[in-house]
Every structure is written in structure tokens, then in C-alpha cells.
Amino acid sequence: MKKHNFSAGPSILPKEVLEDASKSVLELDNIGLSLIEISHRSKEFISIMEEATARVLKITELQNKGYKAIFVQGGASLQFLMTAYNLLETKAAYINTGTWSVKAIKEAKLLGSVLEISSSQDKNYNYIPEMNNIPNDIDYLHITTNNTIFGTQYKSFPDCSPPLIADMSSDIFSRKIDFSKFDLFYAGAQKNMGPAGVTLVVIKESLLNKVSRKIPTMLNYSSYIKADSMLNTPPVFAVYTTLLNLRWIESQGGINKLEKRNLKKAELLYAEIDRNSFFNGFAEVKDRSHMNVTFTLNNENLSDDFNKIWENNNISGIKGHRSVGGYRASIYNALPIESINVLINCMQQFEKLNK
Amino acid sequence: MKKHNFSAGPSILPKEVLEDASKSVLELDNIGLSLIEISHRSKEFISIMEEATARVLKITELQNKGYKAIFVQGGASLQFLMTAYNLLETKAAYINTGTWSVKAIKEAKLLGSVLEISSSQDKNYNYIPEMNNIPNDIDYLHITTNNTIFGTQYKSFPDCSPPLIADMSSDIFSRKIDFSKFDLFYAGAQKNMGPAGVTLVVIKESLLNKVSRKIPTMLNYSSYIKADSMLNTPPVFAVYTTLLNLRWIESQGGINKLEKRNLKKAELLYAEIDRNSFFNGFAEVKDRSHMNVTFTLNNENLSDDFNKIWENNNISGIKGHRSVGGYRASIYNALPIESINVLINCMQQFEKLNK
């Protein structure tokens, strides 16, 4: 029996995507060979790569606007380094909204001066800080649009004249936003996009080739663009499964439709957290993430009781991150509303038992 | 009908491995969830990672000898950079045996002084050059054990007092060698080890933390060792499929047995190339690779005829790399001897037609 999968990442993917990905490992489109045993220079794989990058630009409405989409290995963590390597000449600004921002700041400091212009560390990152005081004399401003661990999410984005860079790993393709506000954004695939092992980077090309340092080949965005993401053998399974998921997104009516569904799911779950006196939401209401819902028990001593209930209801992956404790329900694109209802039902069972 | 897959990489994998990998994408070991939608911090995935690194050390007979095995993203190409970042303080020596050595040298030059102490460029890399004159005052010597594009392979390795580093991407686990001669070796998975998207690095730990530069987190071997290759989300599908293939290697009797099989396959094919007057071997006989067999037609005008024959016989992936031309039959571990016989048969049909 299939579980209700609330894992924060790697996380739930659509059933159709898993089925087609599984088939491709045995044989890709009746070509007599597995996806993972053909050359990445074959016409079959070149067409997969081309379709994947084209679909990204279509979904984000960035076609013919000077942007390129590339696929890179190494996760968002390698992007913490690559963004700085390619774009940080003297000084960059970062907004610190938690663990991933902190890691991004750490890598950037190896290559230049870093201003942490705003932070929510004072309250264990349970809110998105104000974004006043954005300096003009910086190479870029870096933000993390959704904070998987703490369950916070930007609802609007800073208007700033320097280039705006975003780590969108945990909420890309979950909501309609104006992607053209960003000069560069990146996302590890393993939430709303595909399996772990590939990272999407979308870049305004005019941003590149301006720093004075020599950039190693495998860290250089320009090399990836020039080679159509085939600088060396790409992670073929992760790229193909991402393509399947991009097709699925469009088949569902695109991100407009997914946003509506995600909003509904988030509203249902937050409503129960607010109604049910045994639970507390962790993030400030105005900054609540629609992807990662963090909450705690009012009485931690009752956690075994609650754990038993959701485990018996076939729920998986809702234990909170150690930095927050409690619970985290990750409710990405592919999570059906049925799973939300099962979780709410567990919370209500728990309430009745303990009243 | 399954093809005879001579692709140079990504390349043929054992049928059992493909079947189990395909199943895992639907559901891993009856846990009710797909391999690619569970947390990499789950007990299931931690056990996969532990088994994979342990099997590597067992197969290479490097247990309890101060070595660590880690899995990294980015392919061998990222290792060209990482080896230098972690180990090149002032000066390193490289032996240039073709395209991949040239790329490794290019990245190392960004970080220190590079001596190209030997090269086979003068004859389009059709041989392995002598290895005299290895200086003692270098941080390491770097070699490429098998040259996929040119079809050459080291039959013995330099005895040298500085640390010895090897790119083993295209012949790891294909033959019994004394791995303890190497202080560090790495291999992109997509030949004999698994699918594209993961790279194995095996390191003598005492080599590390000696350079004076600050190493970015995602380029630092020590960080990967400390985090058991889970510095960030690893490429779970590629790691798991690699584990399946490591199990397969042991189920076949280990690399001793595979080496015997590979030798037989290589001998059969080279014997036909030498016997059949329509074909020429590209590499010098003493340095012929047992993994990538490069050969050309004596009369290029007949290539359409030969191409028709192997295409009709369900052969795939034997077109040569543009740097060499002609043909390249990659005959990795998983390629059955039956495929070799089919190819030889095609060469003999072609001979009869044109005599």
C-alpha cells in the first residue's frame, strides 16, 4: 500500500512520472536500449536535453528574454559556490533566512566581501525579514525564496537595481511568480522538479563574463551554456525524469493550476493547526510556506501518542528537522489533497483522544 | 529485440542491474515508496550508501589501509579540478595520454605549476609513453589508466615516490590491479560502475589537509569524508544503481573473473582486426585497451557497406570518436561475448563481400 509521503526531499513525485522513469531504465521509447546505457551524444538524449531546457523557459515565461536554462550536477550547494565564482567581483549582499542562506554566505565569503543585510536568526528563522537598505553598489543580492527547514517563504520579492539571485530549490514551479525579476535562479531538482542528482540554473546571459578571476571549466556557467549542458556526461536519468515532470506540470495546466491546488492544500492544513489547540504553527503567519508546513505539539510529552496515530495511517516523512523539532509536512506539487485530509484526520483523532 | 551495445559511455550495464534499478524507481524493497522519493537521511538510504562504499573498499582490497571511498557529483571532469584544489600546493606532474589528460592538465594549471613529463601527442595518442624522469619534488603524479577515445591502456603503473593519482573512469573494476599503488583514484560511474551522475573517489586519508589554500565545501574531499558522502543530497538513483552493479561484480566472482572474461573478449576482437586485411588497429599493440577497441577501415570508401552490415545485425554504438575516426567497440564488463562474436561475424561478412 502506497504511503502518504510528506518527505522534505527527495520527495513525492507524480505516479505517472515514476512509472515512465522506471520504464525508461528498462527501455527508452522502444529503441531497444535503456535510457542509462545510451550515449548522451545520441540523437535520443540530445532531444531530451533540448526539450527539458525549452520547457523550463516556457513554463517560466522567459523565452526570448536573454535567459538560458542549464542543468548542472552538485545540488544547490554547488550553486552557492558557482554564483559567487561567476558573479562576485567585489561585494555581494545576502539575506539570511536560515541554514541554506548561511551555507551560501559561507561559500561566497571565499571569493569576495559579503554583506548580510538582513537576517531572521534572532527568532530561529521563523519569519522573512524586511528588505530595506538594499545597497546599490553590490554585484548582486541573493535570497532563498522558500526555507525548507523553517517553513517560511517570500510572498513578494525585493525591487532592487542590482541583479537579483535566488535559490528556489524548494518552491520552484509551485506558484506563479514573475521570474523575469530574477537575473539568476537555481534549484536542486529533488522537490518539485525531479529526482536528486541534477540542478536547474536559469541565467540572464548578459550577467556573465564580467568577473576578472579565471573560472574553472566545471564551475563556469558560460561553458555549460556553450555546450548545451553537455560539457561532460550529464546525469541522464535525473535530466530525463525532470523532463517527464516538466511535461506533467504542463499536463496539469501549468503552474497557475498547481498554485491553486497548493494554496488549497496549505490553507486546509494551516487552518487545522490554528484550530486544533494541541498544535502550534512555527512560522509567522504572514510568512508561512505553502510547501513546508512546520508545527509543534503544545505538549511534547504526547508526541509518542501522535506519532502512533500518523504511523498507523500510513503517513511518512513528517518528523521535523532537528533545528525546529516537532513536525514538518512537505506538501509539494505531487502530494494529493487526500494526503492532507488524512493528516488532518490524524490531528483530530489525537485531539479527541487527549481532550 | 535487445541491441548489441558497444557504446563508449554511458554504456551497457548488466540486465539484472537494469531490472532491479527499474523496480526501485517504482518501489524500493517493499517499503511502499520509490527510491527517488525518500529522504537520503532515511535508514534505507543510509544503508545503501554504507554498503556501496564498503563494497568498493572490499573489491579494491583497500579495507583497513587508511583509504576512504566517497561518492561525488560532477563526473571525472570535476575531479580534474578537485584533485588539484585539494592536493596541488606548488607543482604536480601529469602524463598526457589524450583528451582527458589534457582537460585534467588545464584545470590543474589554474592552481599551481604543472609539468607535462610525458606525452603521446606526437602520434595522436596511439600509445602510452615511457614514464622515466618522474621528479621527486612534486605534489603528485597524475595518469589516465585507460584512454576511452584512443583505445590505449596502461599495462603497468609507474613506481614513484610522490603520491600517484589516477583517472580510472573507463577501466575501473575491469581488471585486477594493485590499487594500493595509488594514493587517490577516481572514476565517473558511466562505464563499468553504474549510470551517469555519480563519481567514485577513493583517497588515502593521510594525503589530505596539507595545502594552504581554503577549499570550498563542495570541492573539499575532507568534507565528503566527514559527512559520509552526504554533504548535501547525493544522487540517490546513481548511487543505488552503482551499488546494484557492485553486488553484480561480486556475484560474478569479482574482478579476477571479470578480467579473464574481458581478456578473452579483447583477444578475440583484436585477433580478427589483425587477421582481416580490411581493418587496422589504431593503438600500438603493446598498449591496446581491453575496454575500448579502436580500429579503422583500410579503405574508407567502403564504410557505407560495413555500416550497413553491423546495423542490420543489431549492433549499436561502434562509430569512432571524431579524434580517431573509424570504429570503436567498447567492450565493458557487462558486454557478453556473444556481442563480440556478432561483431566479428560482421567483419567477416564484410571481408567476403569485398574480396
Side-chain angles (χ1 to χ4, degrees), chain A residues 2-3 5 10-13 22 31 37-38 73-74 77 85 106-107 190 196-197 217-218 232-234 237, chain B residues 2-3 5 10-13 22 26 31 37-38 73-74 77 85 106-107 190 196-197 217-218 232-234 237:
Chain A
K2 191 79 182 176
K3 289 189 179 162
N5 183 4
S11 55
I12 189 167
L13 287 170
S22 169
I31 64 167
E37 55 175 8
I38 57 170
Q73 293 186 59
S77 296
Y85 236 117
K106 185 185 167 209
E107 300 310 307
Q190 64 273 13
T217 311
M218 290 296 289
N232 64 342
T233 314
F237 175 80
Chain B
K2 192 77 182 174
K3 289 189 176 158
N5 184 4
S11 54
I12 188 166
L13 289 170
S22 170
L26 291 179
I31 65 167
E37 55 175 9
I38 57 170
Q73 293 186 59
S77 296
Y85 236 117
K106 184 184 166 208
E107 300 310 306
Q190 64 272 11
T217 311
M218 291 296 289
N232 65 343
T233 315
F237 175 80

Side-chain angles (χ1 to χ4, degrees), chain A residues 243-255:
Chain A
L243 169 60
L244 293 174
N245 202 43
L246 293 170
R247 286 182 190 158
W248 177 85
I249 289 172
E250 294 199 66
S251 79
Q252 301 298 298
I255 45 182

